[in-house]
């Protein structure tokens, strides 16, 4: 595949490349981690803001890197999901790769600023998060191509981001941050599960052995059901019933993912992302008290 120069494009194409539907996975753990810090009496607005911006740029960088790496590996040739800017020719591969590293670089600068008020563990978290973001679909052994993408998302957009946000403000990790991180991470992983369920046939064809490819559609839908319902049990374990108000939003997402296939699952992707942000806002509200 040649590095053919793409025509100059506007902000709408870059917005498409950033994949706005997935950005709830970056915002949600910071909202919840900040609420945990407040509950511990350690709310600090500046570290919370820096954590939010850093998380967003890591997510955007990961999305750009995924767009580029999947193109290079031929994974987007016959995709049924939303348009990918590299495969469609809207942006040159080298441009998307460079944008990924610029986004990761911005997150690094923000991480350094955050480490100035929260200490060296933030640097370690940032390095690990950027490395995982690139290695998700890039590098010699891409995680997403070996069925480990779900684990990556659960850990980094659940446990690490939530506990890291709480640590940046409280300078320790309150116990409830782990359960809260697991809840947020489950819904972030559910977003990926919908994506991989939709793409399982085309992924299998190019050797992208996601967990959905390995498990098959029936087990993947069972995985999605578990990932969507478990957070409500975790909320009860955390002592708040506020997130139960998000149950009505879970029903259409479950209905779509459990009954639809192919391009129809694009609707389920948006429904799951909206569920995650609604659930996270309600969980944060419950933990804030």
């Amino acid at each position: 595949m040649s590095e053919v120069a793409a025509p100059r494009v506007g902000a709408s194409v870059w917005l498409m490349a950033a994949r706005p539907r997935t950005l709830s996975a970056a915002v949600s753990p910071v909202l919840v981690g900040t609420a945990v810090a407040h509950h511990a009496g350690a709310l600090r607005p500046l570290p919370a803001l820096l954590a939010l911006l850093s998380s967003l740029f890591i997510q955007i960088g990961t999305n750009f890197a995924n767009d580029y790496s999947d193109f290079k590996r031929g994974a987007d040739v016959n995709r049924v999901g939303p348009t990918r800017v590299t495969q469609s020719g809207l942006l040159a591969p080298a441009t998307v790769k460079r944008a990924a590293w610029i986004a990761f670089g911005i997150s690094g600068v923000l991480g350094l600023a955050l480490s100035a008020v929260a200490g060296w563990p933030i640097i370690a978290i940032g390095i690990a998060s950027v490395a995982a973001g690139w290695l998700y679909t890039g590098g010699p052994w891409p995680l997403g191509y070996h069925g480990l993408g779900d684990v990556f998302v659960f850990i980094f957009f659940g446990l690490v981001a939530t506990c890291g946000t709480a640590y940046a403000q409280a300078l320790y990790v309150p116990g409830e941050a782990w359960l809260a991180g697991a809840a947020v991470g489950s819904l972030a992983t559910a977003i990926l599960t919908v994506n991989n369920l939709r793409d399982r046939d085309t992924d299998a064809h190019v050797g992208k052995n996601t967990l959905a490819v390995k498990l098959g559609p029936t087990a993947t839908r069972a995985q999605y059901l578990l990932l969507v319902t478990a957070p409500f049990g975790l909320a009860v374990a955390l002592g708040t019933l506020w997130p139960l108000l998000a149950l009505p939003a879970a029903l259409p997402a479950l209905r779509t993912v459990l009954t639809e296939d192919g391009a129809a699952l694009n609707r389920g992707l948006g429904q799951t992302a909206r569920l995650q942000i609604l659930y996270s806002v309600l969980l944060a509200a419950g933990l804030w008290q």
Side-chain angles (χ1 to χ4, degrees):
M1 300 174 190
S2 59
E3 300 274 336
V4 179
R8 190 176 299 275
V9 293
S12 61
V13 173
W14 285 109
L15 183 63
M16 182 191 304
R19 306 183 194 178
R21 287 182 176 180
T22 70
L23 297 185
S24 64
V27 174
S28 295
V30 177
L31 287 177
V32 172
T34 297
V36 170
H38 178 270
H39 187 71
L43 174 67
R44 293 200 290 170
L46 179 58
L49 177 61
L50 291 172
L52 175 61
L53 294 175
S54 181
S55 181
L56 280 168
F57 277 103
I58 288 174
Q59 174 72 72
I60 292 170
T62 299
N63 288 343
F64 289 163
N66 176 251
D67 201 301
Y68 167 80
S69 296
D70 275 350
F71 167 78
K72 297 297 287 184
R73 296 177 186 276
D76 284 341
V77 173
N78 297 307
R79 67 177 287 107
V80 295
T83 302
R84 292 292 173 254
V85 296
T86 315
Q87 180 61 42
S88 65
L90 290 171
L91 291 171
T95 301
V96 178
K97 181 181 181 180
R98 183 164 55 249
W101 285 110
I102 289 172
F104 286 142
I106 293 172
S107 75
V109 171
L110 291 165
L112 287 174
L114 185 55
S115 71
V117 296
W120 68 266
I122 299 299
I123 296 177
I125 290 171
I127 291 173
S129 298
V130 169
W134 177 258
L135 295 174
Y136 173 56
T137 53
W141 203 80
L143 300 172
Y145 282 68
H146 293 85
L148 296 176
D150 303 69
V151 176
F152 155 75
V153 168
F154 180 80
I155 291 175
F156 283 95
F157 288 97
L159 300 178
V160 171
T162 305
C163 293
T165 298
Y167 176 86
Q169 298 174 68
L171 301 183
Y172 74 98
V173 180
E176 61 189 352
W178 295 102
L179 284 179
V184 172
S186 291
L187 289 171
T189 309
I191 295 173
L192 177 65
T193 300
V194 180
N195 183 81
N196 290 346
L197 177 65
R198 181 197 64 208
D199 295 342
R200 68 189 184 281
D201 291 335
T202 54
D203 285 345
H205 183 70
V206 299
K208 185 177 181 179
N209 294 314
T210 64
L211 190 58
V213 171
K214 293 175 179 290
L215 293 177
T218 300
T220 299
R221 287 187 170 93
Q223 176 197 1
Y224 179 82
L225 177 63
L226 175 62
L227 290 169
V228 167
T229 56
F232 293 98
L234 290 171
V236 174
L238 284 164
T240 175
L241 300 181
W242 280 61
L244 299 185
L245 295 173
L247 276 171
L251 297 179
L254 285 166
R255 186 180 307 112
T256 298
V257 177
L258 297 181
T259 62
E260 300 288 352
D261 211 345
L265 288 171
N266 290 330
R267 184 172 69 256
L269 193 65
Q271 290 168 331
T272 307
R274 290 190 291 273
L275 169 63
Q276 186 196 28
I277 197 68
L278 175 60
Y279 173 93
S280 299
V281 168
L282 290 168
L283 180 59
L287 294 173
W288 191 269
Q289 302 173 19

